[in-house]
Amino acid sequence: MEYILIFISAIFVNNIVLSQFLGICPFLGVSKKVETALGMSAAVAFVLTIATIVTFLIQKYVLDAFGLGYLQTITFILVIAALVQMVEIILKKVSPSLYQALGVFLPLITTNCCILGVAILVIQKDYDLLTGVVYAFSTALGFGLALTLFAGLREQMSLVNVPKGMQGTPIALITAGLLAMAFMGFSGVVKI
C-alpha cells in the first residue's frame, strides 16, 4: 500500500514540476511539440531511475560510511553527468535507433535539476533503495505526464488567435499556472 501511495502522490499530488517547481527549464523549453515532450519524458524516466539507484548507493556506502555527507551535492552532480555520458555512449553502440530517437534529450538531462532534486529527496526522506526507486520512477512519470499535457496545450494554443502581447512565453506561463492549479485538485485524493 505504501508504494501505491508514493506512486499516486509523486505523479499527481506532489508533481515535481507543477508542485515542487523542479525541472522548469525543460518543462518550458521542450514542450512545444508532443513528440519532443514524449522523447524527453522517456529519457528523464530512464536517467532518473538509474541516477537514483547509483546516488543512493554512493550516499549509503561511500559518503555516509566515510563521513563525507557534506560532499553530497557535488558528488551527485558529477555522478549524474557521468551517468548521462555513459548512457549516451552505451546507447550509441548498442541501439543506434534509440540513440537517434533520444537525440539531444540525453545531454539536456545533465542540466535538469529534477534529476538532482529527486536524488537528494530520496536521501532526505530516508527511503530504502526499493522505495527510492519507486519514488524516482513515479516522479519521472509525473514529470512526463505534466510535460506531455503542457505540450498538447501549447500545440492547441498555436492554432488559436492569441493577442500579440500574450504570444510565446506569457501565454505559456499562464497555461502552466492553470495546469498546476488543475493538479492541485488531486491534493485531497492522497493524504501523506
Side-chain angles (χ1 to χ4, degrees), residues 17-18 21-33 36-37 40 105 108 112-113 143 146-155 157 168-180:
V17 177
L18 301 174
F21 306 112
L22 292 173
I24 295 292
C25 294
F27 182 70
L28 293 174
V30 188
S31 61
K32 292 186 176 153
K33 294 186 178 179
T36 56
M40 182 63 153
F105 301 124
L108 283 176
N112 188 345
C113 60
F143 176 84
L147 184 63
T148 305
L149 286 173
F150 188 56
L153 290 170
R154 287 185 78 177
E155 278 186 1
M157 282 189 303
T169 304
I171 195 70
L173 290 173
I174 290 171
T175 305
L178 291 172
L179 188 59

Side-chain angles (χ1 to χ4, degrees), residues 28-49:
L28 293 174
V30 188
S31 61
K32 292 186 176 153
K33 294 186 178 179
V34 171
E35 182 181 341
T36 56
L38 289 172
M40 182 63 153
S41 299
V44 165
F46 183 70
V47 172
L48 184 57
T49 306

Side-chain angles (χ1 to χ4, degrees), residues 41-162:
S41 299
V44 165
F46 183 70
V47 172
L48 184 57
T49 306
I50 292 174
T52 299
I53 293 169
V54 173
T55 55
F56 179 88
L57 295 173
I58 288 174
Q59 178 74 37
K60 294 298 178 194
Y61 298 110
V62 177
L63 298 179
D64 288 349
F66 295 106
L68 300 172
Y70 59 91
L71 293 174
Q72 180 188 57
T73 304
I74 191 71
T75 303
F76 284 12
I77 290 170
L78 293 173
V79 166
I80 291 166
L83 276 173
V84 170
Q85 283 300 113
M86 286 192 316
V87 167
E88 193 171 0
I89 291 167
I90 291 168
L91 281 179
K92 194 173 189 178
K93 298 264 186 207
V94 174
S95 178
S97 60
L98 182 59
Y99 175 76
Q100 288 295 330
L102 293 177
V104 72
F105 301 124
L106 279 174
L108 283 176
I109 292 172
T110 305
T111 60
N112 188 345
C113 60
C114 171
I115 309 292
L116 177 63
V118 170
I120 291 173
L121 282 171
V122 165
I123 301 302
Q124 285 178 347
K125 293 181 180 206
D126 201 28
Y127 286 152
D128 58 43
L129 183 59
L130 180 60
T131 307
V133 170
V134 169
Y135 175 72
F137 185 70
S138 302
T139 300
L141 289 178
F143 176 84
L145 176 66
L147 184 63
T148 305
L149 286 173
F150 188 56
L153 290 170
R154 287 185 78 177
E155 278 186 1
Q156 288 297 315
M157 282 189 303
S158 69
L159 301 175
V160 298
N161 195 8
V162 177

